[in-house]
Amino acid sequence: MSGTQKLVDAFHQLDSALPAAQFPLPLDGAESLRSLAGSLAHQVRDYLLPRASKLDAPLLAVVGGSTGAGKSTIVNSLLRAEVTRPGVLRPTTKSPVLICHSDDEAWFRSDKVLPGLVRTDTQLHDSRALHLVAFPDLPPGLALLDAPDIDSVDDANRALARQLLLAADLWVFVTSAARYADAVPWDYLHQAQQRNTMLSVVVNRCPPGAIAQVAGHLAQMLAERGLASAKLFAIAERPLGHDGLLPLPDVGGLRQWLGQLASQSEARAQVATQSLAGSVRSLDPQLHELIGGIQRQDEAIDELREQSEVTYRQAVADVVQAAGDGTMLRGEILSRWQDLVGTGEFMRNIEERISAFRDRITGWFRGEPEVQAVEIAISDNLAAVLQEKGQWAAEQVAVKWSRTRWGRDIVIAEPGLAHPSPDFDAAATAAIRAWQSDVMRLVEEQGRGKRMKARFLALGTNMLALALMIVVFAATGGLTGAEIGIAGSASVLAQRLLEAVFGEGAVRKLAEQAQADLEARVQGVLAVELSRYGVILDSLAVDDGATAQLEAAAAALREAARSAFDDLTAPEL
């Protein structure tokens, strides 16, 4: 495979990789990176692919520059005919005009050059249209394109001006004596220097007595910025002729220079190779800039994701802690449990009651309604804790995300993220009730042994399940002070009751499993809440393979460039 074909293939690979360069979060520099990615995509399709595919294609000289610099007038004066209409109103919204010899018309009418612009035979007030003019007096091999203003107040005009300049083999950059030192022109000239673009600079409308002074100063500025090789032409300010053209001598030097390029195939090939090589060389740092921007996007999204995940992990831990540190053995649950098992003599003589278990076990509690009352109290109170932590987690994530501009934008766009989802309270209640069912199933499975069957049936699944929940609620020993005397005794009673039926070792395992099941249920319902943030972040995340695709494209370009250009013109990559 030839070096040129490798280069074409590398451009196709880059063209496929660039759409993956997305910058959805408004990080610093994201807007310029989005612009850069779009600019590179245009450059590949508008210029790099067609030029690499056909090195001997006609040269495209783009005439660009500042507002009111006289670009259209200079183009017409070079051609000695009014081919492109000078703009009068600002901003000048008109279609760019491409003038070529009829022998080159088929090349420029094809979709190989500037494929995103619609060809037209009339100059329109539409920057998306390219007015194509076949002009017999322009020598074949070179086309002129009258581009929009680089500093237009119209965004579309300004973007198109940049796109056209980056699609050029050479620039005819027009400025004026009053504006040649402005920042915007020099930003573009710096790009020409980076790409090693063949360049001519025309300083128009010079005071007749100051042409040498203006030209000398501009030449010094060009040299200081690495553009000493640029062809410099100065045109005096004077009234236009009746035909609206500059006198031929005023544009004679520029006309002669362009004519020499058009007439010499070797010179055209040199320009094409120089511009192509310079453009390829400029791609490598730009691609690495995109790759760095993508990595910063990934890091920002990972940070937001970590903030949400850490917050919800803490919410799970808080609920589990509250369910095991004795917090639940206060208030209604304790009161309902005491109503169920009784107080007084029962609490004073636990050991005696346990020894009398086989004879009078069914008299220990007052019946099914009291059991249901404890179950409801546990369900309501534990669900309330879970609901409170769900609300806290949503609020905390919103606060954390709002500390960055990009996170704040998401919260503003999705205000519901600062609150639990509408069905969260119901889901939390359902999760706790499901856990209560889990505990009952554990008790039933443990009670299948024949040796404990009578004792198990005497108390029943619900009573033993409630006792196991009470044990879980005091598993981490968070009770202090006077609470030990009341709630602690309730927990001890539940522990002794279970041990009388299942044995000490089995109760410990049952409590551990019940606690693990509770954590799983809490994690499950809060994971659904957390997933709301994940869905949004996933929608903003850059393609996982974006960095690898761009790195591979950059490597392919470096390798292809070494094959396509000789040592004198090879990009220093």
Side-chain angles (χ1 to χ4, degrees):
M1 182 186 297
S2 68
T4 302
Q5 185 56 50
K6 287 182 180 179
L7 195 59
V8 170
D9 291 347
F11 287 144
H12 279 298
Q13 183 177 349
L14 177 58
D15 189 42
S16 299
L18 281 170
Q22 301 291 322
F23 306 93
L25 299 183
L27 306 180
D28 292 341
E31 185 61 38
S32 64
L33 288 170
R34 283 191 285 268
S35 177
L36 175 59
S39 176
L40 290 179
H42 279 303
Q43 190 177 351
V44 169
R45 296 169 194 168
D46 294 347
Y47 174 68
L48 295 172
L49 267 173
R51 176 51 69 195
S53 301
K54 190 175 176 61
L55 281 172
D56 59 349
L59 297 179
L60 179 60
V62 171
V63 182
S66 306
T67 300
K71 298 183 297 295
S72 299
T73 299
I74 288 176
V75 170
N76 289 335
S77 299
L78 288 169
L79 301 172
R80 309 314 297 166
E82 188 175 4
V83 178
T84 175
R85 295 194 307 270
V88 177
L89 301 177
R90 297 287 181 249
T92 304
T93 304
K94 62 177 185 178
S95 54
V97 182
L98 191 153
I99 308 103
C100 64
H101 190 272
S102 56
D103 291 349
D104 300 328
E105 184 177 0
W107 171 253
F108 289 110
R109 281 198 182 275
S110 73
D111 61 357
K112 293 181 173 62
V113 182
L114 299 168
L117 299 181
V118 178
R119 272 48 171 180
T120 177
D121 294 321
T122 306
Q123 192 167 4
L124 305 174
H125 288 284
D126 188 345
S127 61
R128 296 168 298 178
L130 178 63
H131 178 207
L132 198 62
V133 179
F135 193 74
D137 291 341
L138 186 66
L142 176 69
L144 295 177
L145 194 155
D146 182 16
D149 303 329
I150 60 171
D151 53 359
S152 172
V153 297
D154 184 274
D155 292 340
N157 273 6
R158 198 166 58 251
L160 180 59
R162 175 181 172 80
Q163 178 184 345
L164 295 175
L165 285 167
L166 293 177
D169 293 296
L170 64 107
W171 292 9
V172 178
F173 197 85
V174 183
T175 185
S176 65
R179 303 194 60 185
Y180 71 84
D182 288 358
V184 173
W186 286 102
D187 288 342
Y188 278 85
L189 291 172
H190 178 63
Q191 293 179 42
Q193 186 269 335
Q194 288 182 315
R195 297 174 66 231
N196 198 27
T197 304
M198 181 70 75
L199 174 68
S200 68
V201 178
V202 180
V203 56
N204 194 21
R205 297 174 179 161
C206 295
I211 289 182
Q213 181 181 356
V214 171
H217 185 228
L218 180 53
Q220 179 184 351
M221 294 180 70
L222 289 168
E224 290 172 350
R225 290 160 175 79
L227 293 166
S229 62
K231 297 292 184 179
L232 178 60
F233 302 95
I235 299 176
E237 184 172 21
R238 67 179 84 246
L240 301 178
H242 65 280
D243 54 4
L245 306 178
L246 292 166
L248 182 57
D250 285 5
V251 294
L254 177 60
R255 197 165 188 257
Q256 181 181 8
W257 179 68
L258 292 172
Q260 289 174 345
L261 290 178
S263 63
Q264 299 173 11
S265 59
E266 185 177 336
R268 292 201 306 273
Q270 181 181 355
V271 170
T273 303
Q274 174 181 324
S275 295
L276 183 61
S279 296
V280 173
R281 179 181 60 194
S282 70
L283 288 177
D284 199 66
Q286 294 179 86
L287 290 177
H288 281 89
E289 186 177 352
L290 292 182
I291 291 169
I294 291 171
Q295 291 171 342
R296 290 191 294 275
Q297 290 276 323
D298 287 338
E299 290 167 0
I301 289 175
D302 287 345
E303 181 181 0
L304 294 177
R305 195 184 304 276
E306 179 67 12
Q307 288 172 347
S308 60
E309 291 175 352
V310 165
T311 300
Y312 274 87
R313 281 200 299 269
Q314 185 60 53
V316 171
D318 289 348
V319 173
V320 172
Q321 180 179 354
D325 65 0
T327 299
M328 304 305 300
L329 295 181
R330 302 182 178 104
E332 185 181 8
I333 293 176
L334 178 61
S335 175
R336 294 293 186 185
W337 173 253
Q338 288 176 334
D339 288 344
L340 175 62
V341 300
T343 55
E345 181 184 357
F346 179 83
M347 297 298 293
R348 289 191 300 270
N349 198 5
I350 293 173
E351 294 298 335
E352 182 180 342
R353 295 284 186 177
I354 292 293
S355 64
F357 163 74
R358 292 176 179 81
D359 299 325
R360 297 189 295 130
I361 193 75
T362 56
W364 284 16
F365 55 91
R366 296 186 173 87
E368 191 64 24
E370 285 78 7
V371 173
Q372 292 179 350
V374 182
E375 291 173 343
I376 292 172
I378 290 174
S379 174
D380 290 348
N381 283 268
L382 194 50
V385 172
L386 178 52
Q387 290 161 1
E388 179 185 351
K389 285 302 175 181
Q391 176 69 51
W392 171 85
E395 292 172 351
Q396 283 298 302
V397 172
V399 169
K400 291 178 180 179
W401 281 18
S402 295
R403 289 171 184 160
T404 62
R405 182 162 59 93
W406 45 95
R408 184 164 56 252
D409 284 355
I410 297 174
V411 173
I412 291 173
E414 301 285 345
L417 293 179
H419 308 281
S421 56
D423 57 353
F424 172 66
D425 283 357
T429 299
I432 298 305
R433 289 175 179 168
W435 174 67
Q436 291 177 303
S437 297
D438 293 340
V439 174
M440 290 184 185
R441 186 166 54 254
L442 279 175
V443 169
E444 285 180 344
E445 291 173 354
Q446 189 67 30
R448 287 173 184 166
K450 293 181 180 179
R451 294 175 57 188
M452 62 182 68
K453 187 173 182 181
R455 289 174 289 171
F456 181 87
L457 292 176
L459 286 171
T461 302
N462 285 10
M463 179 62 185
L464 292 171
L466 287 179
L468 182 54
M469 293 178 205
I470 297 298
V471 169
V472 169
F473 290 158
T476 59
L479 300 173
T480 60
E483 295 171 338
I484 296 176
I486 302 175
S489 296
S491 175
V492 170
L493 169 61
Q495 178 85 20
R496 294 292 181 84
L497 190 153
L498 290 169
E499 289 175 355
V501 178
F502 300 123
E504 182 179 351
V507 172
R508 182 170 58 255
K509 291 180 181 179
L510 284 171
E512 290 173 353
Q513 184 60 53
Q515 193 171 34
D517 289 346
L518 175 60
E519 183 171 356
R521 291 292 184 180
V522 172
Q523 282 180 335
V525 72
L526 288 178
V528 173
E529 291 297 292
L530 174 62
S531 69
R532 299 182 302 152
Y533 304 90
V535 168
I536 290 174
L537 293 178
D538 289 343
S539 71
L540 295 172
V542 181
D543 185 343
D544 287 342
T547 298
Q549 290 180 57
L550 288 174
E551 287 176 340
L557 272 174
R558 288 193 293 271
E559 177 60 29
R562 282 190 287 267
S563 299
F565 304 114
D566 59 32
D567 292 340
L568 294 176
T569 59
E572 298 175 3
L573 301 179

